[in-house]
């Protein structure tokens, strides 16, 4: 019997990543590195779940414009072995994300509100969602409506079919702009099994500055969820039902570009966790994959022998 797929719903965009060689000055000019590729947090996670060798297929659901950027982004996704239900919009262009990368590899993102923000409930592939083994959402699908109603309905359909559910909070700045209490009330409508906050998002959601105190808050606020707190160079802190609190260290990879590292971590984690249910073991694979991504440019660098070796050594099998 074929295992049910991991479905990731949300943003599929065209990414423009830029890493200047020098400080950008008003009115000035500089050289640097620029990369154009398909992106979007939900799409990236599907790619990395597939690359990490999941026991089940990876499937993407989202919306693009009826344009060349959308065509290219969807083609790149499918070339990775991710199946997709991609709705095309004649009214809205494909979303574009500008990522500015500093010399430490940290990124600041400017997200254009394109077709990915316009997904509607009636456009969802109901049969796919009811047949999912797991549904992953990002908070980019919750920060405004649409696409919030579609994301919430997708969760209902997937849950009714027996799927587990995960969420990446997406952006501490967007949480602050929406309002912490408003954001938490939206999350109360999602029966989450796994929550993937990073350090900044954990502080924005919990109102706690200390990581251990933030984890205490999460365990009280979301008692039925496995909390997987991404801490950059400090690795990951995990706790949940049946899982004692444990910190898994990061790799020693030198940071070149942090773009997509959290999505790569999440995809690898879910691919492994859904296979055997051991969160600490899944995190060991995920930090290896995240470290590999951070040490390269772009959210989906071409897979190489080093990546394959890391996946093979930590429990997964490269696709």
């Amino acid at each position: 019997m074929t295992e049910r797929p991991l479905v990731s719903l949300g943003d599929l965009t065209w990414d423009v990543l830029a890493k200047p060689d020098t400080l950008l000055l008003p009115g000035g000019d500089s050289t640097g590195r620029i990369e154009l590729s398909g992106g979007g947090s939900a799409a990236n996670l599907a790619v990395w779940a597939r690359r990490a060798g999941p026991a089940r297929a990876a499937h993407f659901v989202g919306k693009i414009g009826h344009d060349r950027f959308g065509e290219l982004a969807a083609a790149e996704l499918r070339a990775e072995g991710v199946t997709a239900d991609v709705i095309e919009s004649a009214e809205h262009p494909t979303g574009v994300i500008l990522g500015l990368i500093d010399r430490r590899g940290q990124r600041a993102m400017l997200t254009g509100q394109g077709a990915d923000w316009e997904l509607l409930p009636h456009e969802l592939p109901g049969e796919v969602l009811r047949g999912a083994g797991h549904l992953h959402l990002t908070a980019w699908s919750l920060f405004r409506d649409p696409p919030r109603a579609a994301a919430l309905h997708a969760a209902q359909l997937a849950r009714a079919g027996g799927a587990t559910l995960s969420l990446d909070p997406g952006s501490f700045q967007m949480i602050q702009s929406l309002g912490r209490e408003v954001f938490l009330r939206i999350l109360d409508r999602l029966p989450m099994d796994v929550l993937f906050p990073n350090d900044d998002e954990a502080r924005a959601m919990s109102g706690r500055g200390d990581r251990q105190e933030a984890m205490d808050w999460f365990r009280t606020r979301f008692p039925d969820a496995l909390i997987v707190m991404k801490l950059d160079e400090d690795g990951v802190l995990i706790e949940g039902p049946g899982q004692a609190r444990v910190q898994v260290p990061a790799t020693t990879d030198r940071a070149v570009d942090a773009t997509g590292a959290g999505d790569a971590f999440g995809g690898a984690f879910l691919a492994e966790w859904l296979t055997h249910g051991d969160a600490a073991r899944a995190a060991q694979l995920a930090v290896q994959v995240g470290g590999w991504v951070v040490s390269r440019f772009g959210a989906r660098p071409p897979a190489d022998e080093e990546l394959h070796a890391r996946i093979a050594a930590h429990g997964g099998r490269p696709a």
Side-chain angles (χ1 to χ4, degrees):
M1 179 178 178
T2 302
E3 290 189 88
R4 299 194 298 168
L6 182 162
V7 177
S8 185
L9 181 144
D11 47 331
L12 174 59
T13 65
W14 192 246
D15 279 3
V16 181
L17 301 179
K19 187 173 185 178
D21 292 327
T22 60
L23 185 66
L24 294 178
L25 299 174
D29 294 281
S30 181
T31 57
R33 182 173 181 179
I34 295 177
E35 180 175 298
L36 308 177
S37 67
S41 182
N44 289 340
L45 183 134
V47 167
W48 282 104
R50 178 64 182 152
R51 285 188 177 189
R56 59 197 43 76
H59 191 88
F60 173 80
V61 176
K63 194 169 185 177
I64 58 173
H66 185 65
D67 51 37
R68 185 59 174 157
F69 282 164
E71 183 181 326
L72 290 170
E76 286 192 5
L77 192 65
R78 291 181 173 118
E80 292 278 0
V82 176
T83 58
D85 280 278
V86 179
I87 298 96
E88 290 191 3
S89 169
E91 291 79 32
H92 304 281
T94 298
V96 177
I97 297 176
L98 171 62
L100 294 174
I101 318 301
D102 68 17
R103 282 173 287 184
R104 297 174 300 127
Q106 291 301 313
R107 88 292 186 275
M109 312 297 281
L110 178 62
T111 300
Q113 297 183 9
D116 53 310
W117 290 74
E118 303 298 332
L119 184 64
L120 300 173
H122 74 269
E123 296 173 318
L124 295 172
E127 185 175 347
V128 168
L129 291 164
R130 283 187 289 268
H134 182 88
L135 175 65
H136 178 76
L137 301 174
T138 79
W140 289 102
S141 295
L142 303 176
F143 289 136
R144 51 158 268 191
D145 194 20
R148 185 186 303 145
L152 294 173
H153 186 50
Q156 292 174 345
L157 292 174
R159 271 298 197 184
T164 47
L165 178 66
S166 60
L167 175 86
D168 190 314
S171 166
F172 78 91
Q173 192 169 359
M174 292 294 287
I175 293 170
Q176 292 170 343
S177 296
L178 181 64
R180 173 176 176 264
E181 292 302 326
V182 173
F183 183 65
L184 292 176
R185 284 198 297 272
I186 294 170
L187 296 195
D188 285 340
R189 301 170 65 182
L190 294 168
M192 287 174 293
D193 296 282
V194 186
L195 186 61
F196 288 106
N198 66 21
D199 206 359
D200 291 328
E201 293 152 5
R203 286 196 295 269
M205 292 175 67
S206 69
R208 311 292 197 272
D210 177 81
R211 293 166 176 174
Q212 299 294 336
E213 291 180 3
M215 180 60 87
D216 292 340
W217 179 89
F218 273 99
R219 292 297 301 123
T220 300
R221 189 66 171 73
F222 302 101
D224 298 323
L226 174 67
I227 309 301
V228 183
M229 192 182 298
K230 299 171 289 185
L231 305 176
D232 296 327
E233 67 273 10
D234 293 326
V236 57
L237 188 64
I238 306 170
E239 188 177 0
Q243 171 62 58
R245 188 172 303 187
V246 62
Q247 187 161 351
V248 177
T251 67
T252 58
D253 294 286
R254 183 179 68 86
V256 172
D257 174 14
T259 305
D263 304 326
F265 176 96
F269 182 94
L270 288 174
E272 190 76 353
W273 179 74
L274 289 169
T275 300
H276 51 62
D278 187 330
R281 180 178 158 193
Q284 289 169 0
L285 170 65
V287 296
Q288 290 293 325
V289 172
W292 183 90
V293 174
V294 153
S295 66
R296 287 155 174 82
F297 192 73
R300 306 178 200 162
D304 59 15
E305 289 305 314
E306 182 183 344
L307 176 64
H308 292 167
R310 291 189 185 202
I311 293 173
H314 291 86
R317 291 181 298 170

